[in-house]
Every structure is written in structure tokens, then in C-alpha cells.
Amino acid sequence: MQSLCEPVFCAPTLNEVWLSYQTYRELKKTTARDYAKRLRYVEDWRHMPLDLITRDMIEKRHKEISATGPQNANYVFRVVRALFIFAGCKFDELHGVNPVRRLSELRAWNKADPAKTSIELHDLPTFFNAVLMDENDTIRDIHLLWTLSGLRRNEGSTLTWERINLDAATLFIPKEIAKNGIALNLPTGKNLTRLLRARRADYPDAKWVFEGDSADVSLSETNKSYQRIAKRSGLKFSPHSLRRTFLTAADYCEVPLHIQKRLVNHKPKDITELYHCHSVERLRKPMQEVEDCILGFANVGF
């Protein structure tokens, strides 16, 4: 029987935990935005105390979201699970309380097939022809950058000139932008460097390498652009597909796997990889080999 003097525990609401989580975890803006987007799928739970969110509710809502987006459903409940774990660390009364476990117990998480779309090496002439024909030089150039550098979509679209060193032929991705939180200093191949030099000459006062609708914003929305190029070329791809094409070319050139990982900034999986660091100059030769391979298959130069 509870003592009359003992305070009654009131569980925090999902929204209160979410606000606290953002403060403690110091989330990147892009991560916070993605999490907030997923939490809209449980908007009716936002002001509900965590101890009132049941396993049955989790299972039912996961099924509902899965009907239209299986991987989105998984993403939503990975976020919810993270909030329950965080709450359990802050409140002893909630330690070990996580109704999202129901999905694991029932093996209800939706299975994901690895994404396999990419521009095959033998399709590179068709792809490059469609890209080089594009009337928008910003769209043309960012597709070339994605293909020749292996950068992630946002890493390329948010590049600023202060992170480009044309004399040293390098570009820098800070940890705040990098998906895995690891900063990347990357060499640029000779052709990509020439492209960046030409772009700098054309836009000497620009902040962003690839500007959006105004000089104040970077190029963040490119769906229509790559759909246009896909339609013109007859090839199905996305910006991330070009990253896989880059890795395909690296494999064709027999670039060692640990160097491939460093070129595309994949997070190390073991302690050996963590300490197996590569300087920019150590990466320059394999980066040039990959660029030469891609442009050789495409039969173009610029």
C-alpha cells in the first residue's frame, strides 16, 4: 500500500519526452526534422502519458502505417522506441517499459530489401548524354558532382564555397552535415576540379556551390530535375543511385574495400577500421581512378 506521503509518479507525455530528447541528444537539424515528420503519424498520442501507450496500440498503428509505407512504419516506431528508451533512462518508473518491443516479439517489423538501383557502367553514355543536355547548368553540375564524388544527396546540395579548396583540389563535409557524424575531407578528381573552377568563375559571389531559388538558400529540392533527366535518358535512378554507381566503378577499378568505405564516408564497423585513417593525398589516387573509370565508360570529358 502506497504511503500517503509518497508522491504519485506522473509519467511524462510523448511530446514532453520528445522535447527533452532533442535537448539532451543535440540532434542535427535534418535529423530533428525527420524525427518530427515521423511523429506526425502518432500525433494523437503526443499529449498522452507514456504509461498509457499500450502494446496493442503500437501493433495496430504499425499495421495501419505499413499498409501505405512499410519502411516508413518501421521508421516511425524506431523513433517512438528511442523516446521510450530515453524516458527509461531519465525515470526509474519507466525503466524497461517499452511497448514497441511487441513488434520484435511478433517479428512484425517490415523486412527491407537492400536498395539496388544504380546507373550501370554500360549505361553511363546514355546517362551522361541526358545530363549534359540539361538546360540548367546547376542541375547538370550537381548530377556530375554526385556521380564523380560519391557524395550523399544533401552533402552535395548544401556545399558552400568555403568548404571547397580549388588550389588543393579538395572538398570538406563537416560532421554536422555528414549522415554518420564523421567529418570528411575528400580529394576531387581532375575533371571534377575543372568543373568546380568553371562554376566558381561563373558565380564568383555565390555562397552556395549550387544555389536554390535565391542566393540565400542551397539547392535542396531536386526531385523534378532528376525525374526530367530520368525521362530523357530512359533510366530509373535517384541521387543515391549515383552514389552506388560510384561504388560500382570503384569496385571495377579494384579499389580496396576499406578505401571505398573511406571515399564514401561509411562509418567504421570495427576498431581496426576506426584507426585505419587515410589522408586526403592517400585517397587522391583511388579517387582519380574512379573518376577516370566513370568518364571512360561514359566516353566524355569536360
Side-chain angles (χ1 to χ4, degrees), residues 74-85:
N74 284 354
Y75 195 166
V76 169
F77 284 97
R78 282 197 295 267
V79 174
V80 175
R81 179 177 60 187
L83 295 183
F84 268 96
I85 292 172

Side-chain angles (χ1 to χ4, degrees), residues 257-288:
L257 183 59
H258 66 278
I259 295 182
Q260 290 186 38
K261 290 183 176 181
R262 183 59 184 156
L263 287 173
V264 295
N265 206 18
H266 278 168
K267 193 170 186 177
K269 291 187 176 181
D270 57 49
I271 196 66
T272 303
E273 287 187 21
L274 180 64
Y275 289 105
H276 201 137
C277 300
H278 303 284
S279 68
V280 173
E281 293 310 313
R282 175 67 181 85
L283 297 175
R284 190 171 299 281
K285 182 175 182 289
M287 176 62 85
Q288 190 60 56

Side-chain angles (χ1 to χ4, degrees), residues 200-252:
R200 189 53 167 162
D202 290 339
Y203 302 94
D205 301 320
K207 171 186 176 181
W208 306 98
V209 179
F210 306 102
E211 289 184 347
D213 294 333
S214 71
D216 297 329
V217 296
S218 65
L219 181 67
S220 58
E221 182 51 63
T222 56
N223 284 329
K224 293 181 180 179
S225 69
Y226 70 76
Q227 289 173 2
R228 182 171 69 236
I229 293 172
K231 183 177 180 180
R232 183 185 299 137
S233 65
L235 300 170
K236 183 179 180 180
F237 74 95
S238 69
H240 200 78
S241 303
L242 304 180
R243 182 172 166 84
R244 288 189 283 271
T245 298
F246 178 91
L247 285 170
T248 299
D251 185 65
Y252 182 88

